[in-house]
Amino acid sequence: MELNGKRIVLGVTGGIAAYKAAELVRLLGKQGAEVQVAMTEGATHFVTATTFQALSGKPVYLDQWDARMPNAMAHIDLSRAADLIVVAPASADFLARIAQGMADDLLVTMVLARDCPLLVAPAMNRQMWENPATQRNVRQLQADGVQILGPASGEQACGEVGAGRMLEPEEIVEEVVAFFAAKVLAGRKVLITAGPTFEAIDPVRGITNLSSGRMGYAVARAARQAGAEVTLVSGPVDLPVPQGVVRVKVRSALDMHAAVMARAADADVFVGVAAVADYRVNNAAEHKLKKDAGGIPPIELIENPDILAEVAALKKGPFCVGFAAESRNLEEYAQTKRRKKNIPLIAGNLIQDGFGGDDNRLVLFDDKGTHPLIPAPKSVLARQLVEHIAQLLTGKM
Ligand code: C5P
């Protein structure tokens, strides 16, 4: 429930992506937001008001002359009650009208009369998006403090491929959550590793660790929502890239090491969440090993670099945070690891508590001692970890 109690007006304008706005209402509601939908006349050609009414549990507003408002001031009342206005999809026409400050229907009048921030998610044909008029309007809106979400590139309803697709509803929800999050890492560069590494034995076989990557991805998302510029160096996992995060895909520990070392000096914070394989195969075969070649293939192991310890040893390196997944003696092992790698903070968890799932139990260990966090979804724990990091960075703890 990341949007508990937030009052959001969702404006829907005329475009085929309007059907996705229905899912957006549902997802915002699921996060605890109270959603009030306002549609343009154009939007009603794609989806009906009944759909939004059923999903939001509130009457939908379409018309500035709506007689349901006792004072006949729907535009004022609706925008006054909102913490945020989100317009998704935002058509080229809508962008043009609000860039000009027009007030010729309820939605734009409400936008003009607002005293809360405005996020818009454009959706239109690629040529309409690239048109100098649209680009000019977008620049004007940015200068006016409007936050533009996307658009994404890809296949469009018109059959063309290019920029102009609305962000997916899940991505818009992430942007809304980020909008409300406290910006405790504003201006900081955060580098994170996540997932397992894969150490090849031959082209089809390898050694790996069990790691879903979910904790690392959750930390990346929370750091970005806290205002950081986030790079996520990820081993092989099948997870969506958190909105606004730059992901660098790697496979082996050596790849991960190279990707991290190339960026570490520039980072303010490094969080090593990845389950890096301690060893790699020194005699990896170029071709697939054949069973009938006789005998058990000799696999020679060689130690991988300790990425976290190496980053922690950098002269003007980032603030380093480690993870310790243990099956017993959590405190003792985690604290020993923290001292050995010379890092200020380590997050420990017992493997049996959180492996692969959505929930986890984390205990933070730093110079001040032990800070157990209440068991919670990884997204919540990631936020608490980010807050702890921010406090240590600013010397408030
Ligand atoms: O030494 P151990 O693997 O138990 O320590 C775990 C912590 O160290 C994690 O933060 C992990 O990402 C990091 N690590 C690393 N490179 C390695 C091994 C572990 O960065 N080769």
Side-chain angles (χ1 to χ4, degrees), residues 193 272-274 276 278 305-308 322-323 337 341:
T193 63
V273 197
V276 185
D278 290 319
D306 187 321
I307 303 169
L308 178 58
F323 266 73
K337 234 170 242 185
K341 295 184 195 241

Side-chain angles (χ1 to χ4, degrees), residues 10-21:
L10 175 66
V12 183
T13 73
I16 184 59
Y19 82 93
K20 292 189 180 178

Side-chain angles (χ1 to χ4, degrees), residues 8-207:
I8 298 172
V9 168
L10 175 66
V12 183
T13 73
I16 184 59
Y19 82 93
K20 292 189 180 178
E23 178 67 357
L24 181 56
V25 174
R26 202 183 64 79
L27 294 176
L28 290 169
K30 224 171 117 186
Q31 291 300 334
E34 202 182 294
V35 185
Q36 170 66 63
V37 177
M39 301 170 79
T40 61
E41 206 268 328
T44 62
H45 292 276
F46 295 90
V47 201
T48 70
T50 316
T51 306
F52 291 113
Q53 181 169 338
L55 290 167
S56 67
K58 285 180 188 299
V60 171
Y61 287 89
L62 297 157
D63 177 6
Q64 71 213 98
W65 314 118
D66 197 312
R68 284 173 295 182
M69 287 288 184
N71 60 2
M73 287 197 227
H75 59 293
I76 306 285
D77 287 359
L78 294 178
S79 70
R80 284 292 172 276
D83 296 310
L84 177 69
I85 299 178
V86 181
V87 179
S91 64
D93 174 66
F94 170 79
L95 297 179
R97 287 190 293 143
I98 57 167
Q100 288 299 315
M102 288 177 68
D104 54 355
D105 72 8
L106 174 66
L107 185 60
V108 289
T109 311
M110 200 169 72
V111 163
L112 195 63
R114 79 187 185 281
D115 64 356
C116 66
L118 172 66
L119 308 185
V120 301
M124 65 198 73
N125 157 274
R126 143 186 101 76
Q127 264 152 341
M128 292 173 78
W129 173 251
E130 285 162 10
N131 188 291
T134 305
Q135 289 302 312
R136 195 164 56 237
N137 291 332
V138 167
R139 279 195 301 278
Q140 182 60 56
L141 290 171
Q142 282 169 327
D144 294 344
V146 177
Q147 196 178 321
I148 315 284
L149 310 180
S153 288
E155 210 174 289
Q156 302 200 304
C158 53
E160 292 185 20
V161 177
R165 256 174 66 149
M166 187 175 84
L167 292 189
E168 293 303 325
E170 295 79 7
E171 294 172 317
I172 297 175
V173 172
E174 282 210 17
E175 292 287 2
V176 172
V177 172
F179 169 81
F180 286 112
K183 300 291 175 281
V184 291
L185 290 180
R188 310 269 194 184
K189 286 187 183 159
V190 178
L191 181 62
I192 298 168
T193 63
T197 65
F198 182 89
E199 313 300 328
I201 293 172
D202 71 11
V204 294
R205 304 182 181 95
I207 301 173

Side-chain angles (χ1 to χ4, degrees), residues 193-195 197 209 253 256-257 260 270-279 303-311 321-326 333 337-338 340-341 343 345-347:
T193 63
T197 65
N209 281 331
M256 185 175 276
H257 176 260
V260 167
F270 173 66
V271 192
V273 197
V276 185
D278 290 319
Y279 306 99
E303 199 165 348
N304 272 326
D306 187 321
I307 303 169
L308 178 58
E310 238 179 84
V311 174
V321 183
F323 266 73
E326 303 294 345
Y333 289 158
K337 234 170 242 185
R338 191 170 81 83
K340 199 169 137 225
K341 295 184 195 241
I343 52 174
L345 177 63
I346 195 158

